[in-house]
Amino acid sequence: MSASAAERTTRRPLLRIALAATLWPALFPPARRARAGLDLLSNEFSASRDELQAELARRFPITRRYGDLASVSLHDPQLALDGHANRATLASRLAIVSPWLRPSPVGGKVAVSSSLRWDAAGPSVRLQDPRTEHLRIDGVTVGDAEALERISAAVVPEALQGFPLHTFGPRQLPFGLRVRGIIIGADAIKVQFE
């Protein structure tokens, strides 16, 4: 075997290795975290809890008035998904401002659980029939805390009724798909289409 033939023989494996190293990332991209999207094979859209959390954070704070008595604001939402109960729980810091309170504002925490519904006009997944699961008001007397808890228990579910958990962008959802159901898992929601 000549010197140039031996040189070609040893270069071929090196060329294959260099080619494989170049093509491997293109052919087999690294695994990425799941992202919200439509899976046409299973006819479902899924969104992770983290993606839903980020979308909620952009929509907060929200504020609602209770007549002239108080203004209730919700801040820093924290979403939890309960697949067994098929409910989403939204915990939040609470701030109540009132001319009758000293000191004002008064803070606290609230947790609301809710089922989910499809809104075709949105198109979006929205909270449905939220109910207050936990409510705590800090820094006031027992009597004031009870009155503020009653106000908050009325205002918070009303403020969150129909609140969008996820709104579909124009390219996320093909026209003509009808929703069959919404499944809440431990770490994601799935919207099933017909």
Side-chain angles (χ1 to χ4, degrees):
M1 186 187 300
S2 69
S4 66
E7 199 174 290
R8 274 185 295 207
T9 307
T10 56
R11 269 197 263 160
R12 279 189 190 147
L14 293 176
L15 181 60
R16 285 186 191 137
I17 291 170
L19 186 60
T22 304
L23 292 177
W24 187 266
L27 294 174
F28 304 100
R32 292 187 198 138
R33 212 178 93 225
R35 292 189 57 216
L38 180 64
D39 180 354
L40 292 174
L41 295 176
S42 63
N43 279 347
E44 63 186 24
F45 173 89
S46 62
S48 73
R49 192 207 70 79
D50 290 341
E51 290 163 328
L52 297 169
Q53 175 68 45
E55 196 167 338
L56 278 172
R58 287 190 299 272
R59 291 193 168 111
F60 273 66
I62 59 174
T63 302
R64 295 294 186 272
R65 293 199 55 76
Y66 187 78
D68 292 333
L69 291 177
S71 176
V72 179
S73 298
L74 301 174
H75 303 267
D76 303 325
Q78 298 299 314
L79 179 67
L81 300 173
D82 183 356
H84 296 297
N86 202 34
R87 293 186 72 79
T89 299
L90 190 62
S92 174
R93 281 189 314 111
L94 178 75
I96 302 170
V97 176
S98 173
W100 312 106
L101 287 175
R102 298 291 178 251
S104 185
V106 172
K109 295 215 181 250
V110 64
V112 176
S113 74
S114 179
S115 59
L116 301 179
R117 72 173 168 85
W118 173 251
D119 175 18
S124 58
V125 174
R126 295 182 178 270
L127 301 179
Q128 178 68 34
D129 300 325
R131 66 176 180 237
T132 304
E133 301 291 342
H134 173 77
L135 180 60
R136 186 187 79 229
I137 307 293
D138 300 324
V140 294
T141 66
V142 174
D144 286 344
E146 289 172 358
L148 293 173
E149 285 172 1
R150 281 194 300 276
I151 290 171
S152 299
V155 171
V156 171
E158 183 182 306
L160 294 176
Q161 173 64 30
F163 194 80
L165 185 60
H166 177 75
T167 301
F168 288 83
R171 287 187 230 141
Q172 280 184 310
L173 193 61
F175 290 103
L177 290 179
R178 298 185 68 201
V179 171
R180 194 173 69 222
I182 300 172
I183 298 172
I184 299 174
D187 59 354
I189 64 165
K190 292 182 180 184
V191 180
Q192 297 176 320
F193 297 97
E194 295 179 344

